[in-house]
């Protein structure tokens, strides 16, 4: 069973989307996470700009090279302290949901934000009120997703209100809709306190919401100055043997999308993931 490997399109640093697609195809990758504002800088993708024609045009560019748009990335701060900014992000995400199918895509993804305007580490994110605000925002987004038959993909992270597998499970329980699914990045739940036991953290994620994982993000981490630092795939401590053993059994052919991996590291990281997947 071969790995279904892709990449965030904006990690290919080229202003032309046609060039980006050609590069991705030549590398033998099968899918992308497409953030319109980052990859289509020559086109207006602000709130109110999308249409079926726009989406079909972009879809066709990828489809010609047999590349799946696996996720539309619309990452924003869903608990932004400025409620006007929060509302703007919510409406833009909803617009992505409405036209996702025209992109040939069924998932729109985001993280869960920050109590501050800037996305920085703060333990204020871990308290109950930010979590409840995330629940309310996600409920509203999922209601829109249900209308259009698409999926809200939520990505947890150690710096965000959804910072543990247990928090992710609680969110899923409080928003009981199959139009809410998980973008799982195992490195995102790693901290200085648990990296020695990363296998237990990964196992817990699969136990709590393995059935709800629709995308896996692939990056790596090292410990530097007593902090977790993200690095390109294959250059760190993440136990891909353990992860892929679970994935092959429980989530065959799931899209594995590289992130935090740019040139000159991409080809090496692809080879690393393929070798690990084949031998796990």
């Amino acid at each position: 069973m071969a790995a279904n490997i892709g990449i965030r399109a904006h990690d290919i640093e080229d202003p032309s989307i046609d060039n980006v697609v050609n590069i991705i195809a030549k590398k033998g990758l099968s899918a992308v996470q497409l953030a319109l504002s980052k990859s289509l800088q020559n086109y207006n993708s602000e709130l109110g700009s999308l249409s079926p024609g726009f989406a079909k045009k972009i879809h066709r560019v990828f489809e010609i090279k047999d590349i799946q748009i696996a996720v539309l990335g619309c990452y924003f701060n869903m608990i932004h302290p400025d409620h006007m900014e929060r509302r703007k992000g919510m409406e833009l995400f909803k617009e992505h949901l409405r036209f996702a199918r025209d992109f040939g895509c069924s998932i729109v993804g985001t993280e869960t934000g920050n109590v501050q305007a800037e996305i920085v580490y703060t333990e204020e994110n871990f308290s109950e009120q930010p979590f409840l605000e995330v629940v309310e925002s996600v409920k509203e987004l999922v209601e829109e997703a249900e209308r259009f038959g698409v999926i809200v993909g939520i990505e947890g992270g150690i710096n965000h209100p959804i910072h543990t597998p247990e928090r992710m499970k609680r969110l899923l329980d409080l928003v009981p809709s199959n139009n809410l699914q998980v973008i799982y990045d195992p490195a995102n739940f790693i901290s200085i306190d648990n990296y020695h036991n990363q296998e237990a953290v990964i196992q817990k994620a699969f136990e709590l919401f393995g059935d709800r994982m629709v995308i896996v993000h692939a990056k790596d981490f090292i410990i530097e100055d007593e902090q977790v630092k993200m690095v390109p795939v294959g250059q760190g401590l993440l136990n891909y043997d353990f992860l892929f053993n679970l994935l092959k059994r429980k989530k065959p052919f799931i899209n594995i999308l590289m992130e935090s991996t740019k040139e000159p590291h991409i080809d090496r990281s692809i080879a690393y993931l393929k070798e690990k997947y084949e031998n796990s």
Side-chain angles (χ1 to χ4, degrees):
M1 185 191 300
N4 196 7
I5 300 173
I7 194 169
R8 295 188 308 188
H10 63 273
D11 286 333
I12 306 292
E13 296 175 310
D14 191 297
S16 165
I17 190 63
D18 293 284
N19 289 347
V20 168
V21 171
N22 285 331
I23 291 168
I24 290 171
K26 287 178 181 177
K27 292 181 181 298
L29 297 170
S30 61
V32 295
Q33 176 166 310
L34 181 65
L36 303 181
S37 62
K38 295 179 179 180
S39 290
L40 303 178
Q41 297 179 22
N42 295 331
Y43 302 96
N44 177 17
S45 59
E46 295 179 358
L47 181 61
S49 68
L50 298 189
S51 68
F54 180 99
K56 291 285 190 182
K57 185 75 171 178
I58 301 305
H59 176 216
R60 184 64 179 149
V61 173
F62 285 89
E63 186 180 42
I64 288 172
K65 295 293 185 178
D66 199 26
I67 297 169
Q68 176 194 4
I69 301 176
V71 185
L72 285 179
C74 187
Y75 284 58
F76 76 104
N77 189 351
M78 65 172 62
I79 57 170
H80 198 295
D82 182 332
H83 283 257
M84 289 185 65
E85 283 298 312
R86 186 188 303 190
R87 177 49 47 191
K88 183 179 177 182
M90 293 284 287
E91 294 305 321
L92 183 61
F93 194 98
K94 287 181 180 181
E95 187 172 343
H96 280 62
L97 289 170
R98 290 194 288 275
F99 296 103
R101 291 290 186 184
D102 294 308
F103 284 95
C105 180
S106 62
I107 304 166
V108 184
T110 187
E111 294 169 330
T112 53
N114 198 293
V115 295
Q116 300 181 20
E118 299 298 320
I119 304 295
V120 295
Y121 180 82
T122 170
E123 294 190 2
E124 292 177 57
N125 280 331
F126 307 155
S127 61
E128 183 71 357
Q129 185 57 35
F131 173 78
L132 294 177
E133 291 187 34
V134 165
V135 171
E136 288 307 305
S137 290
V138 170
K139 278 183 178 177
E140 182 178 334
L141 298 178
V142 168
E143 286 173 3
E144 188 78 352
E146 288 173 337
R147 294 186 186 103
F148 291 88
V150 292
I151 290 168
V152 174
I154 292 295
E155 180 178 355
I158 203 72
N159 298 337
H160 308 132
I162 308 301
H163 61 283
T164 65
E166 289 80 6
R167 272 279 176 105
M168 180 66 81
K169 180 63 165 68
R170 188 176 169 211
L171 173 65
L172 294 170
D173 288 343
L174 290 173
V175 187
S177 170
N178 286 328
N179 294 75
L180 174 61
Q181 301 287 322
V182 178
I183 296 173
Y184 177 53
D185 187 329
N188 278 5
F189 290 119
I190 298 299
S191 69
I192 192 68
D193 298 318
N194 69 17
Y195 77 95
H196 286 298
N197 302 308
Q198 60 167 296
E199 293 81 9
V201 180
I202 294 170
Q203 182 72 47
K204 177 61 71 172
F206 274 84
E207 289 173 1
L208 292 177
F209 53 83
D211 59 323
R212 304 291 287 277
M213 293 177 190
V214 288
I215 298 288
V216 172
H217 278 173
K219 58 176 179 271
D220 221 323
F221 74 92
I222 59 173
I223 304 300
E224 189 175 273
D225 299 324
E226 291 300 302
Q227 292 185 321
V228 176
K229 178 183 177 182
M230 299 306 170
V231 296
V233 174
Q235 297 185 26
L237 303 174
L238 192 79
N239 189 341
Y240 274 98
D241 294 311
F242 186 83
L243 173 66
F244 283 170
N245 185 266
L246 287 171
L247 278 181
K248 286 175 77 170
R249 288 188 289 111
K250 296 179 180 295
K251 305 296 291 192
F253 302 113
I254 193 169
N255 291 112
I256 300 166
L257 305 179
M258 292 186 297
E259 67 168 50
S260 298
T261 303
K262 299 182 179 183
E263 298 293 20
H265 306 291
I266 295 174
D267 290 340
R268 182 176 162 194
S269 292
I270 293 170
Y272 176 86
L273 288 175
K274 287 182 176 179
E275 188 272 331
K276 287 290 182 182
Y277 196 87
E278 289 168 5
N279 294 315
S280 63

